[in-house]
Amino acid sequence: MQRLMRTATLAAGAVMLLPRASGADGPGEAKVGLPLDVSTEGHRIDALLHQTLVLVGLLFLGMLAWMAYALFRHRQGHSARFERGEGAAGKALPLGMAAFVFLVVDGNLFVKSSRDIDHVFWNFSAVESRPDALRIEVNARQWAWDFRYPGPDGRFDSPDDVITLNELKVPAGRPVVLQIGSTDVIHSFNLPNLRVKVDALPGSISRAWFQATRNGQFELACAQHCGTHHYKMRGLVTVLPEAEFQSWLAEAQAHSLRAFDELDESARWGWSWKDHRP
Amino acid sequence: MSEPYLHPGPTSFWFRYFFSTDHKVIARQFLWSGLSFLLLGGLLAMMIRWQWAYPGQRVPLLGLILGGDGAITPSSYTGLFTMHGLIMVFWAITPLLIGAIGNFCIPLLIGARDMAFPRLNMYSFWTFALSAALVVAAFFAELGPATAGWTTYPPLSTMVGAPSAGQTLMVAALFIVGASTIMGGINYIVTVIRFRAPGMTYMRMPLTVWGLWLTSILNVLFVPILGSAGLLLLLDRLAGTKFFIAGAMVGRAAGDPLLFQHLFWIFGHPEVYILILPAWGVIGDLLSFFARKPAYWYRGTVGAMAAVTIVSGLVYGHHMYVAGISPMLGLGFEILTLAISFPAVVLFVNWLHTVWQGSNRFAVPMLFALGTVFVFGIGGLTGLFLGTISTDVYLHDTIWVVGHFHLTMAAATFLGGLAAIYFWFPKMFGREMDPTLGKLHFWGTIVLLTAVFVAMHVAGYAGQSRRLYDPFQYGFLRHLAPLNRWTSFAAFALGAFQLPFMFNFIKSAFAGKKAGANPWQVGTLEWTHAPSPPPHYNYQAIPTVLRGPHEFSDPAILQALGKDWVGQAEELPSASEAKVAAGA
Ligand SMILES: [Cu+2]
Ligand SMILES: [Cu+2]
């Protein structure tokens, strides 16, 4: 399958859209393709991207062959065939092709994406019901990311919350559920290596979730134009082994009350967690 | 047969070239304006590409107008891509395809003497000119031009994120250009319904007219929605209202920024078809003309264009998959979006079948028509990934999206518009363009255009976000720097290949070889019943139409007339008439 995909896409002239993972830390990496996937569910997206690439590559080749043959063989010297294509036989080809694309290419996309969206990516109640789910609140602002973990009281939006700037620390192997807002303009929370993207909107709260499969540092990007320094709205996701994460959180919680500043309005962006469990 | 109200055209300079109500003059006004803005928008694109090739480095030549040390700053960069997008969509493609080609073609191709409302037509152009003046003024405004992106999402586009006077001017300009478009749209719709020559039934109209007519219907339905969004945004900017401003507290809303996105995309998705339908129509005709074959399954093509027109209003949600849409609604928009592939494939196969077994002549308009089919094919296919939620989540806001909509909305409309310009130029100016320069222009353009936008898909697939001043701030994108640089070189070469066109166009308009009445040997009314250029009021006597626009290579006609085409209003020698009717 890998080889078929490669030939088809290459031949399709889609230069180097090869389904090869390129490293998260980039430099020196010359390959072009999807960035490394470090999530439990990202493979669903990647597989659908690859399949569709193969299918549209084949359609493109068909189009190219048809055009090339017609234009090289049926030139001025060749007298035109008088046909209107209005008969039943004439309509069969366009309608048949349209049905083929709709049922096969679109059908594959629709069936798989609706399954993945309904059961996995946007199925928040299932994830939140898992006892090991970690909840984090995110605030996007020009041009930084704030993250909020509940303090020892276990509640959000209270003085003992742990707050980090531009660094999201999560454990590997546990689902992480995010609620995301913005305090100025629209941003978009984008974790390319975890295949997560959702807008951060002022006035409402968006949700996302992921589960990381390996330790390491990965980039968080803002995907929505949010002003002059949009391009610098970069954060980091640090995926830690469970024990290391626990000790970091305990340490941070121990100091969080001391870091709380009654007068700092801008730090009070939190909200009490919006529970979506059934 | 001359009728008393066919008075001669105005002779004074001002009324002949400026305040004319003649659709052919207004078409030329839109043509020159559209080409000027195309040049401006193209130069802005070159500067964006420079920035991606050499982030933050001094721009050669064009750097002079940037001031400072001649390098693009983060804030001037936001102005560049915002103005590029708005100018190209509303002040370049729209006037070229709808203002110029629409104005020139509709009355001529249906056998009318002018638009239904010639004076409204003139007002439409001068309203456009007013909006164009605001666009130019925005570049000189305090704190710079508009910077919130062509999509103008609030709150970024309100005073919260874009306090410059240029942003206000551009929102106002959008509103005004919308008014101009609506005036034109109403005029086109009424003209087609009321002013078709006798015998010009809907099913005998050239596909060009079909495309322009459907576009006008979409314009009249959906541009008012853009207008209302723009007006509310202007109020938010100037009058202190909060339609789109949510306030600074998370989760506690006043106005709703998402409301703007709904309004914008209810308009914005049909806008893609507003721009492409005229090009679809044009290439439907040109492929038949230059293949010397009837357009394959004409009714199917018309039906497919109409189906796309209808469905285009029902799919806009695919622009908001990551804006927190409910899964049920999202999947509804997804299936409707994917359903557009059905009529699109019908169109496509009909085009390919038209050139199949044709007697293809590769004149410059034909080359551009084939180029349109080619880039639209690629762009249509890469759109499937964006119509689907789970793949869109990954690709959303990457330059895959930018590559995709540039292939469909920019490259295809641009090539389709050029096909139309090369084709109708002799009728419009009474002179011929140079075919050798035309071919040079074509090959340079098609190769480089495809290279640039396909390469953008490759970079987007690797995760490169759009609208980044310096994409290589991100480690996971750093390896894309060489790809971006090469893409930019291709873009600069693409820009350079427009020079032969500019030279050819201007030289031919004033000093080209005189054109005959029907240099392409085709049967539509403007070529068979009017000289090049047509006189004021187009037709001395309105022709009576007898058949469709694509009657090529009919053996009976060949025998009766000794040529492979027949005019839409051409009478046949009576003996052969019976034979044609029986045989065809
Ligand atoms: Cu941002
Ligand atoms: Cu759309």
Side-chain angles (χ1 to χ4, degrees):
Chain A
M1 190 62 195
Q2 185 80 1
R3 167 179 276 168
L4 173 74
M5 275 190 304
R6 200 170 300 176
T7 345
T9 38
L10 253 185
V15 200
M16 270 183 290
L17 294 174
L18 291 187
R20 291 252 200 93
S22 70
D25 337 285
E29 182 72 64
K31 306 224 170 37
V32 184
L34 294 170
L36 182 72
D37 171 34
V38 296
S39 68
T40 51
E41 308 296 342
H43 65 90
R44 296 167 185 276
I45 292 177
D46 297 8
L48 198 52
L49 285 168
H50 294 160
Q51 290 160 12
T52 313
L53 218 45
V54 172
L55 289 171
V56 304
L58 293 173
L59 286 175
F60 174 76
L61 281 181
M63 169 184 97
L64 206 60
W66 190 342
M67 273 178 95
Y69 187 83
L71 300 178
F72 281 113
R73 293 304 301 274
H74 307 148
R75 314 183 68 132
Q76 188 150 359
H78 174 285
S79 66
R81 187 173 145 196
F82 181 64
E83 57 165 352
R84 293 177 199 279
E86 299 272 356
K91 294 171 194 173
L93 187 70
L95 290 175
M97 276 298 288
F100 170 79
V101 172
F102 185 69
L103 293 175
V104 176
V105 186
D106 297 0
N108 183 56
L109 278 167
F110 184 73
V111 167
K112 290 183 179 154
S113 72
S114 49
R115 177 197 66 197
D116 294 344
I117 288 295
D118 274 345
H119 297 296
V120 182
F121 295 117
W122 291 357
N123 188 0
F124 295 100
S125 55
V127 186
E128 288 200 46
S129 303
R130 283 174 57 175
D132 59 341
L134 173 69
R135 292 168 171 76
I136 300 170
E137 290 183 355
V138 183
N139 177 42
R141 59 187 162 88
Q142 287 177 326
W143 288 283
W145 302 94
D146 300 316
F147 302 97
R148 180 180 295 263
Y149 302 73
D153 67 357
R155 293 190 303 115
F156 281 97
D157 202 18
S158 60
D160 66 348
D161 290 351
V162 172
I163 294 174
T164 64
L165 172 66
N166 287 333
E167 188 171 21
L168 174 62
K169 284 187 197 283
V170 296
R174 269 170 70 188
V176 178
V177 188
L178 304 162
Q179 291 192 353
I180 304 164
S182 160
T183 36
D184 41 49
V185 301
I186 299 173
H187 304 267
S188 194
F189 182 87
N190 177 20
L191 297 174
N193 297 104
L194 291 147
R195 307 292 189 262
V196 167
K197 191 181 290 150
V198 69
D199 286 354
L201 299 148
S204 59
I205 288 164
S206 318
R207 290 177 291 165
W209 79 272
F210 63 85
Q211 181 171 332
T213 53
R214 67 158 91 172
N215 305 325
Q217 280 206 321
F218 306 97
E219 285 174 303
L220 157 63
C222 178
Q224 178 64 264
H225 171 45
C226 57
T228 308
H229 295 291
H230 163 55
Y231 74 107
K232 281 199 164 165
M233 196 161 156
R234 174 177 177 271
L236 281 176
V237 185
T238 308
V239 183
L240 301 166
E242 178 67 29
E244 232 175 281
F245 173 77
Q246 287 302 346
S247 66
W248 166 78
L249 188 62
E251 173 83 357
Q253 284 173 334
H255 301 294
S256 59
L257 258 181
R258 229 186 305 141
F260 179 72
D261 178 358
E262 183 90 40
L263 300 174
D264 183 4
E265 291 267 353
S266 66
R268 260 181 281 150
W269 50 266
W271 55 88
S272 54
W273 188 261
K274 314 272 185 240
D275 208 325
H276 292 278
R277 277 173 295 181
Chain B
M1 271 277 288
S2 172
E3 292 162 52
Y5 54 82
L6 284 186
H7 55 80
T11 49
S12 83
F13 179 77
W14 283 100
F15 284 95
R16 201 165 156 198
Y17 295 109
F18 282 82
F19 302 106
S20 172
T21 56
D22 181 343
H23 72 102
K24 299 182 292 299
V25 177
I26 297 171
R28 281 196 293 262
Q29 291 174 324
F30 273 117
L31 183 63
W32 288 108
S33 327
L35 288 173
S36 312
F37 275 107
L38 190 64
L39 178 62
L40 175 59
L43 290 174
L44 297 175
M46 295 297 125
M47 288 162 80
I48 297 169
R49 282 295 351 169
W50 173 266
Q51 173 63 23
W52 290 353
Y54 301 101
Q57 292 186 37
R58 207 180 64 79
V59 188
L61 308 169
L62 294 170
L64 294 171
I65 55 172
L66 285 168
D69 61 351
I72 296 167
T73 63
S75 87
S76 59
Y77 172 74
T78 59
L80 285 179
F81 69 72
T82 301
M83 296 302 282
H84 164 74
L86 287 169
I87 285 175
M88 285 303 209
V89 171
F90 295 100
W91 286 277
I93 301 174
T94 305
L96 283 177
L97 283 156
I98 304 174
I101 296 165
N103 251 306
F104 188 75
C105 288
I106 290 176
L108 278 168
L109 270 60
I110 63 172
R113 293 206 168 100
D114 205 320
M115 285 288 176
F117 310 116
R119 199 173 289 264
L120 183 66
N121 207 11
M122 177 181 83
Y123 294 152
S124 167
F125 175 75
W126 286 104
T127 311
F128 172 85
L130 172 64
S131 74
L134 296 189
V135 175
V136 174
F139 281 101
F140 302 98
E142 203 180 336
L143 303 177
T147 54
W150 88 276
T151 46
T152 321
Y153 282 0
L156 187 66
S157 58
T158 64
M159 291 299 184
V160 174
S164 73
Q167 185 76 49
T168 309
L169 283 170
M170 287 307 288
V171 178
L174 262 183
F175 184 82
I176 296 169
V177 82
S180 155
T181 304
I182 296 166
M183 287 183 214
I186 291 171
N187 213 347
Y188 295 4
I189 293 173
V190 176
T191 305
V192 169
I193 295 176
R194 301 289 304 164
F195 280 63
R196 280 168 293 128
M200 179 65 86
T201 60
Y202 284 101
M203 287 300 147
R204 284 178 181 167
M205 293 199 306
L207 291 166
T208 302
V209 179
W210 267 108
L212 289 162
W213 190 56
L214 293 169
T215 277
S216 306
I217 293 171
L218 285 177
N219 262 332
V220 168
L221 287 174
F222 291 108
V223 172
I225 298 173
L226 176 71
S228 55
L231 199 59
L232 295 179
L233 183 57
L234 267 186
L235 290 172
D236 274 6
R237 291 185 63 84
L238 300 174
T241 56
K242 286 191 162 62
F243 292 107
F244 304 131
I245 302 172
M249 298 299 283
V250 171
R252 264 155 277 182
D256 184 2
L258 268 185
L259 173 61
F260 181 90
Q261 293 190 20
H262 285 283
L263 294 172
F264 184 85
W265 290 114
I266 289 174
F267 154 80
H269 186 81
E271 173 70 0
V272 177
Y273 297 102
I274 287 171
L275 299 179
I276 196 69
L277 272 163
W280 284 355
V282 167
I283 60 176
D285 282 335
L286 295 191
L287 293 177
S288 157
F289 293 168
F290 290 93
R292 314 306 288 176
K293 265 185 75 191
Y296 194 83
W297 193 21
Y298 170 94
R299 281 164 189 270
T301 302
V302 170
M305 296 203 310
V308 169
T309 305
I310 293 165
V311 184
S312 74
L314 304 172
V315 301
Y316 76 91
H318 58 224
H319 296 274
M320 297 169 69
Y321 287 153
V322 299
I325 202 168
S326 94
M328 180 83 129
L329 192 60
L331 291 168
F333 278 123
E334 176 178 331
I335 191 75
L336 283 165
T337 301
L338 293 174
I340 288 192
S341 77
F342 196 99
V345 171
V346 169
L347 271 178
F348 216 83
V349 174
N350 284 352
W351 293 333
L352 293 181
H353 228 306
T354 302
V355 295
W356 184 254
Q357 298 200 321
S359 175
N360 293 298
R361 281 109 215 249
F362 300 105
V364 180
M366 176 65 157
L367 291 174
F368 276 96
L370 290 166
T372 311
V373 173
F374 179 75
V375 295
F376 188 78
I378 310 178
L381 291 172
T382 63
L384 292 171
F385 298 79
L386 305 174
T388 305
I389 298 176
S390 56
T391 44
D392 178 67
V393 165
Y394 173 70
L395 292 171
H396 200 94
D397 281 324
T398 65
I399 64 173
W400 173 288
V401 178
V402 182
H404 158 72
F405 76 71
H406 274 81
L407 280 178
T408 51
M409 211 172 146
T413 56
F414 177 60
L415 295 178
L418 285 170
I421 289 175
Y422 278 105
F423 181 72
W424 277 291
F425 191 92
K427 189 55 64 179
M428 200 179 237
F429 293 94
R431 293 174 185 277
E432 284 179 8
M433 288 180 84
D434 181 83
T436 310
L437 284 174
K439 282 178 186 166
L440 176 71
H441 177 212
F442 171 75
W443 285 109
T445 302
I446 187 71
V447 171
L448 293 162
L449 205 58
T450 310
V452 169
F453 296 129
V454 169
M456 286 175 82
H457 281 82
V458 177
Y461 194 78
Q464 183 173 337
S465 290
R466 62 194 291 195
R467 295 166 169 171
L468 292 179
Y469 171 74
D470 180 1
F472 317 114
Q473 291 278 317
Y474 288 102
F476 81 104
L477 298 179
R478 217 157 282 153
H479 69 291
L480 299 176
L483 173 65
N484 274 274
R485 193 167 292 178
W486 281 105
T487 312
S488 294
F489 295 154
F492 301 148
L494 174 63
F497 265 102
Q498 305 316 303
L499 295 173
F501 169 69
M502 287 159 64
F503 173 75
N504 194 359
F505 184 88
I506 294 173
K507 180 177 168 273
S508 306
F510 296 105
K513 204 172 101 203
K514 289 264 189 241
N518 192 358
W520 309 116
Q521 301 290 293
V522 296
T524 47
L525 299 177
E526 81 278 21
W527 299 106
T528 56
H529 281 69
S532 306
H536 197 67
Y537 279 109
N538 303 346
Y539 298 108
Q540 267 303 316
I542 301 279
T544 300
V545 175
L546 302 168
R547 58 184 73 78
H550 310 121
E551 296 301 304
F552 292 97
S553 304
D554 181 340
I557 299 267
L558 207 62
Q559 204 181 24
L561 301 177
K563 57 189 173 86
D564 70 344
W565 62 278
V566 59
Q568 282 198 268
E570 185 173 348
E571 306 220 14
L572 298 176
S574 52
S576 56
E577 186 122 30
K579 206 169 160 193
V580 171

